[in-house]
């Protein structure tokens, strides 16, 4: 799954933070231009494509590389302040596809068409795909703000509640089924997500605790074949990945960066006997052999001691240990079982990235990696994100209220071959 950062002018890939020429840009187009309100909240009439055509033509003349064009914003279903029927929306997309094909007829790189960029409504989305037909919409986008309003005083409790976090899986599942049934040529994107709407939660969305929600979202979205996850925002609001005043990275920036570096495209099934407070996701490792586990411990008092088994589906065998002591720092005292084949003759080890809040304060603006606070260097560069290497036969501890990426370079996963 690709990880993108959403700004008001478009969607910019996480790679753009490191190297501008590698930026992947998606622009949104106004789907209400030329329309009028026919009743409260509902817009009709013909879409005027002239503004969109002029803008797209300008980018072509300038030689700007646009990855995709997204049509409209939050107009699906009952909409947010405004809505357009699926029938009209579908006809507009057919027209827009023709415009794109004509403008880029002499280009080797033709931008994708993305829509509708709204909140999922099963009947509306199904009708849209039925009206447009095969090959019009390349990617189906929906928005996710499953934490509710940013001003909600219960925001932290929601983030740490595994049952609450799991509710949104129904949306991912229903969207996946809707696409398979009505538009199997398309793939799902999360076109916008910031956790809590209205700019996120102050001292929540910009702190360590939000990474429990964010990384759980990335893991869950991947399970449902989501190809791109666009985070609201790079800069702006409480949910920005960078501080709006200093541009210093907030904790979610480092979470995004570790996901981007470690988690490959191959998504693996994970079975576990653990409490629901331990969230587990597994991918083929990115750019190397082996697999990477993402483990999220939402419990405030339980250590999880884990063994990993290599079978048709990865299996986690978990022991629970209630303790107030930091098990990672007190040393490794138990053994972990290893079932499977060695992927190579390299020494058997694993790499661990343990993320915690500075001084144990969940709403700290500083994330700690393996005991070291993540802060910009003297030259204002991103610090090294180094793992600790441990012998494979040593125990795997996941501390209370922590997040861990565990890389197994020697794990023989046939799905990752």
């Amino acid at each position: 799954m690709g990880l993108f950062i959403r700004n008001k002018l478009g969607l910019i890939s996480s790679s753009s933070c490191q190297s501008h020429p590698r930026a992947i840009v998606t622009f949104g187009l106004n789907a209400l231009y030329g329309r009028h309100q026919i009743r409260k909240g509902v817009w009709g009439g013909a879409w005027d494509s002239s503004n969109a055509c002029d803008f797209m033509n300008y980018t072509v003349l300038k030689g700007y590389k646009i990855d995709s064009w997204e049509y409209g914003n939050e107009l699906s279903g009952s909409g947010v302040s405004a809505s357009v029927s699926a029938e009209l929306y579908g006809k507009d997309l057919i027209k827009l596809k023709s415009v794109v094909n004509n403008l880029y007829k002499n280009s080797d790189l033709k931008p994708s068409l993305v829509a509708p960029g709204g909140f999922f409504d099963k009947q509306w989305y199904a009708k849209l795909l039925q009206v447009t037909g095969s090959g019009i919409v390349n990617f189906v986008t929906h928005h996710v703000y499953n934490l509710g309003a940013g001003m909600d005083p219960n925001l932290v409790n929601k983030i740490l509640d595994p049952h609450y976090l799991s509710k949104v899986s129904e949306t991912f599942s229903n969207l996946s089924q809707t696409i398979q049934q009505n538009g199997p040529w398309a793939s799902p994107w999360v076109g916008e997500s910031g956790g809590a709407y209205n700019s996120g939660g102050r001292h929540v969305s910009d702190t360590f605790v939000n990474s429990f929600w964010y990384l759980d979202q990335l893991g869950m979205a991947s399970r449902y074949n989501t190809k791109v996850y666009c985070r609201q925002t790079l800069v702006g609001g409480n949910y920005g990945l960078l501080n709006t005043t200093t541009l210093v990275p907030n904790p979610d920036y480092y979470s995004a960066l570790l996901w981007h570096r470690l988690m490959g495209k191959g998504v693996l099934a994970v079975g576990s006997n653990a409490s629901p407070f331990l969230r587990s996701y597994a991918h083929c490792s990115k750019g190397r052999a082996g697999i990477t586990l993402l483990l999220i411990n939402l419990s405030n008092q339980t250590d999880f001691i884990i063994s990993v088994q290599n079978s048709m589906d990865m299996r986690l065998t978990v022991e629970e240990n209630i303790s107030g002591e930091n098990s990672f720092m007190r040393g490794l005292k138990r053994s972990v079982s290893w079932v499977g084949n060695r992927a190579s003759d390299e020494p058997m080890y694993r790499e661990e990235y343990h993320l915690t809040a500075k001084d144990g304060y969940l709403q700290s603006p500083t994330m700690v990696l393996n005991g070291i606070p993540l802060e910009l260097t003297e030259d204002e560069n991103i610090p090294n994100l180094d793992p600790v290497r441990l012998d494979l036969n040593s125990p795997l501890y996941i501390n209370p209220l922590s997040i861990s990426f565990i890389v197994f370079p020697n794990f023989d996963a046939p799905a990752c071959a």
Side-chain angles (χ1 to χ4, degrees), residues 146-172:
N146 60 311
L147 296 178
M151 295 182 65
D152 186 347
N154 295 314
L155 210 53
V156 171
N157 291 334
K158 287 181 177 180
I159 290 172
L160 297 177
D161 182 347
H163 304 291
Y164 188 89
L165 292 182
S166 292
K167 288 180 181 179
V168 75
S169 64
E170 184 176 354
T171 298
F172 285 107

Side-chain angles (χ1 to χ4, degrees), residues 175-197:
L175 175 60
S176 179
Q177 292 175 18
T178 299
I179 292 174
Q180 287 302 310
Q181 293 169 3
N182 301 281
W185 53 84
S187 298
W189 282 17
V190 172
E192 179 182 325
S193 183
Y197 56 80

Side-chain angles (χ1 to χ4, degrees), residues 301-305 319-321 323 325 327 330 398-400:
Q301 59 181 353
T302 304
D303 295 310
F304 291 101
I305 308 164
E319 297 178 45
E320 298 183 19
N321 179 36
S323 172
E325 188 180 2
S327 60
R330 72 170 178 254
I398 306 300
N399 294 334

Side-chain angles (χ1 to χ4, degrees), residues 119-274:
F119 291 97
F120 178 69
D121 178 292
K122 187 172 183 178
Q123 184 176 354
W124 195 98
Y125 271 63
K127 186 66 175 180
L128 177 73
L129 290 169
Q130 292 163 10
V131 171
T132 55
S134 178
I136 300 298
V137 178
N138 302 106
F139 300 103
V140 178
T141 47
H142 68 119
H143 293 182
V144 177
Y145 285 93
N146 60 311
L147 296 178
M151 295 182 65
D152 186 347
N154 295 314
L155 210 53
V156 171
N157 291 334
K158 287 181 177 180
I159 290 172
L160 297 177
D161 182 347
H163 304 291
Y164 188 89
L165 292 182
S166 292
K167 288 180 181 179
V168 75
S169 64
E170 184 176 354
T171 298
F172 285 107
S173 177
N174 286 337
L175 175 60
S176 179
Q177 292 175 18
T178 299
I179 292 174
Q180 287 302 310
Q181 293 169 3
N182 301 281
W185 53 84
S187 298
W189 282 17
V190 172
E192 179 182 325
S193 183
Y197 56 80
N198 292 343
S199 293
R202 187 167 179 262
H203 302 318
V204 177
S205 300
D206 53 353
T207 68
F208 174 79
V209 73
N210 203 62
S211 282
F212 289 108
W213 164 81
Y214 186 30
L215 287 171
D216 188 69
Q217 272 283 293
L218 296 182
M220 185 184 298
S222 295
R223 281 183 176 173
Y224 290 97
N225 199 36
T226 303
K227 300 302 183 184
V228 165
Y229 193 105
C230 303
R231 170 63 185 262
Q232 178 89 345
T233 63
L234 178 61
V235 183
N238 297 307
Y239 44 35
L241 294 186
L242 304 180
N243 182 285
T244 55
T245 303
T246 65
L247 300 184
V248 169
N250 288 323
D252 278 359
Y253 177 91
Y254 293 109
S255 294
L257 190 55
L258 283 170
W259 175 282
H260 177 69
R261 290 179 178 179
L262 301 176
M263 304 292 271
K265 293 182 178 179
V267 182
L268 306 174
V270 182
S272 173
N273 67 338

